[in-house]
Amino acid sequence: MRILVTGGAGYIGSVVTEELLNDGHEAVVLDSLYKGHRSAVDPRARFVQADLTDSETLREVLKQNHIDAVIHMAADSLVGESVDQPAKYYRNNLAAGLNLLDAMRDCGVGKFVFSSTAATYGEPEKQPITETDPTDPTNPYGETKLAFERVLHWYEGAYGLRYASLRYFNAAGATERCGEWHDPETHLIPLVLQVAAGRRIDVAVYGNDYPTADGTCIRDYIHVVDLARAHILALGILDERSAIYNLGCGGEGYSVQAVIDTAREVTGRDIATTVAPRRAGDPSVLIASSEKIRNELGWQPEFQDLPVIIQSAWRWLMAHPRGYE
Ligand SMILES: NC(=O)c1ccc[n+]([C@@H]2O[C@H](COP(=O)([O-])OP(=O)(O)OC[C@H]3O[C@@H](n4cnc5c(N)ncnc54)[C@H](O)[C@@H]3O)[C@@H](O)[C@H]2O)c1
């Protein structure tokens, strides 16, 4: 298939592009580079530097490249920033996304894979979280992603759009070429590894008095390659139906402390920590049920062990000590 990947110069998008190409698809990456990195884009992909608000370019790209499906990953995704600047999130994650959907409708492109998030659930009532559990986001980031999912539902009814919305839990890890390099960085694994590499002094542990075995929050980590492969599987259902899937590895998850201890073992380096107060709206445990995608699409994570995930991220950081700079 010929796939347009929006946000394909970002962390997950660059790996999705790589995996699409490895699988024999053609990929066009559209990214404004306002956050992403040109050198993260696989050289086999066509690259278009443009913003989602540029309707004319969107239409041109869709038509000229005879695009069959769009994987939409371009978004803002900092929870704290979304609370301070909700307008930015409604504009980019919702309004700019609508622009893309309208361009697709006008050009007759009817298949769509969407990067949604566990943040659509808010503070879950039970674990592991299934796709039918209540959605009640606690921040504008999750709210805009959920609103966009609702848009997809109504566009399917009115315009025949077929979509797969993938609610990612915590993406982590790297390939040989592509790793996580955000500014600011807010994700635990890259932060911990930056301390190990001497780029940071310490890493904050937000709360060590949660009702978990070691007192720190438990999260579900998914290797970015396993995540990327799920997108390719999701493309396969769009001739017939739309669906929403959780994407995490399930199981018991890993605590913040376990991530730090594992990173110490993998890197052989000391990693200094400081305990900070809990962050508002941080649930103690967030674990996906991934039964639905396993059963319906045969998705099977290959790299679900934490040391393997951290090892891949560490290898990338050691090979790219200045990231994409
Ligand atoms: N990283 C995670 O663990 C995680 C978890 C849940 C959901 N997600 C979602 O996955 C997607 C990718 O996440 P990521 O961590 O790779 O983010 P990222 O910031 O690394 O990549 C996003 C890319 O989108 C581009 N972009 C943003 N707005 C744009 C616009 N208006 N026009 C064109 N390009 C634009 C940025 O330049 C960047 O390259 C996002 O939609 C995010 O909400 C990520």
Side-chain angles (χ1 to χ4, degrees), residues 7 9-12 31-36 50-52 73-75 77 92 115-117 141 145 168-171 182 187:
Y11 168 46
I12 303 172
D31 197 301
S32 65
L33 295 182
Y34 116 93
K35 285 262 170 84
D51 196 274
L52 291 170
M73 317 191 78
S77 50
N92 203 24
S115 299
S116 188
T117 167
Y141 168 58
K145 290 282 185 174
Y168 312 162
F169 284 62
N170 297 277
H182 290 126
H187 294 147

Side-chain angles (χ1 to χ4, degrees), residues 9 15 29 31 35 57 62 82 91 117 121 197 204 325:
V15 179
V29 166
D31 197 301
K35 285 262 170 84
T57 302
L62 290 169
S82 80
R91 243 181 239 119
T117 167
Y121 294 108
E325 283 159 24

Side-chain angles (χ1 to χ4, degrees), residues 166-178:
L166 305 180
R167 294 179 176 163
Y168 312 162
F169 284 62
N170 297 277
T175 66
E176 204 179 317
R177 276 190 66 255
C178 304

Side-chain angles (χ1 to χ4, degrees), residues 5-314:
V5 184
T6 75
Y11 168 46
I12 303 172
S14 59
V15 179
V16 167
T17 303
E18 215 173 40
E19 286 298 316
L20 283 169
L21 292 160
N22 291 346
D23 206 51
H25 297 284
E26 288 173 36
V28 178
V29 166
L30 182 138
D31 197 301
S32 65
L33 295 182
Y34 116 93
K35 285 262 170 84
H37 313 277
R38 177 66 183 90
S39 57
V41 179
D42 193 304
R44 295 171 291 172
R46 204 189 140 204
F47 179 69
V48 180
Q49 184 171 358
D51 196 274
L52 291 170
T53 52
D54 180 351
S55 300
E56 203 177 313
T57 302
L58 286 178
R59 284 178 171 74
E60 249 173 54
V61 169
L62 290 169
K63 277 196 206 139
Q64 281 175 3
N65 296 285
H66 307 286
I67 294 295
D68 300 306
V70 174
I71 299 182
H72 177 43
M73 317 191 78
D76 284 307
S77 50
L78 297 172
V79 168
E81 182 185 68
S82 80
V83 174
D84 295 336
Q85 301 179 50
K88 178 175 175 180
Y89 282 72
Y90 277 88
R91 243 181 239 119
N92 203 24
N93 295 2
L94 193 56
L98 276 172
N99 224 33
L100 172 64
L101 290 182
D102 288 348
M104 287 175 61
R105 182 197 54 197
D106 297 349
C107 298
V109 181
K111 295 179 182 172
F112 194 76
V113 178
F114 176 52
S115 299
S116 188
T117 167
T120 51
Y121 294 108
E123 303 218 18
E125 288 162 11
K126 65 163 187 51
Q127 305 289 340
I129 305 169
T130 58
E131 290 82 351
T132 50
D133 283 348
T135 45
D136 187 12
T138 52
N139 52 66
Y141 168 58
E143 196 78 70
T144 53
K145 290 282 185 174
L146 183 61
F148 198 74
E149 283 189 358
R150 299 306 298 157
V151 170
L152 294 176
H153 167 76
W154 293 111
Y155 270 51
E156 176 173 37
Y159 311 122
L161 177 79
R162 285 272 166 70
Y163 67 92
S165 183
L166 305 180
R167 294 179 176 163
Y168 312 162
F169 284 62
N170 297 277
T175 66
E176 204 179 317
R177 276 190 66 255
C178 304
E180 188 162 11
W181 196 259
H182 290 126
D183 183 18
E185 187 57 77
T186 57
H187 294 147
L188 181 64
I189 291 178
L191 286 173
V192 163
L193 295 181
Q194 286 176 18
V195 177
R199 290 186 64 90
R200 283 175 197 272
I201 295 169
D202 57 21
V203 64
V205 175
Y206 294 103
N208 62 357
D209 55 354
Y210 282 94
T212 59
D214 62 25
T216 64
C217 288
I218 293 179
R219 294 289 180 268
D220 184 336
Y221 293 92
I222 173 170
H223 193 287
V224 66
V225 169
D226 287 328
L227 186 62
R229 290 189 184 150
H231 292 70
I232 296 174
L233 293 173
L235 286 168
I237 66 165
L238 299 176
D239 275 330
E240 288 169 8
R241 62 190 174 92
S242 296
I244 295 177
Y245 294 109
N246 284 343
L247 262 179
C249 290
E252 303 293 309
Y254 295 101
S255 71
V256 170
Q257 191 58 53
V259 169
I260 294 165
D261 292 342
T262 306
R264 285 181 178 137
E265 279 165 31
V266 166
T267 63
R269 308 221 178 149
D270 190 28
I271 296 170
T273 60
T274 50
V275 177
R278 290 181 178 198
R279 288 180 299 198
D282 243 356
S284 56
V285 181
L286 271 183
I287 296 187
S289 162
S290 53
E291 287 307 299
K292 187 179 175 197
I293 192 160
R294 286 174 196 257
N295 292 340
E296 293 186 7
L297 305 191
W299 178 74
Q300 188 65 48
E302 245 186 85
F303 310 106
Q304 63 198 65
D305 290 337
L306 187 61
V308 173
I309 293 176
I310 293 183
Q311 181 70 56
S312 72
W314 180 238

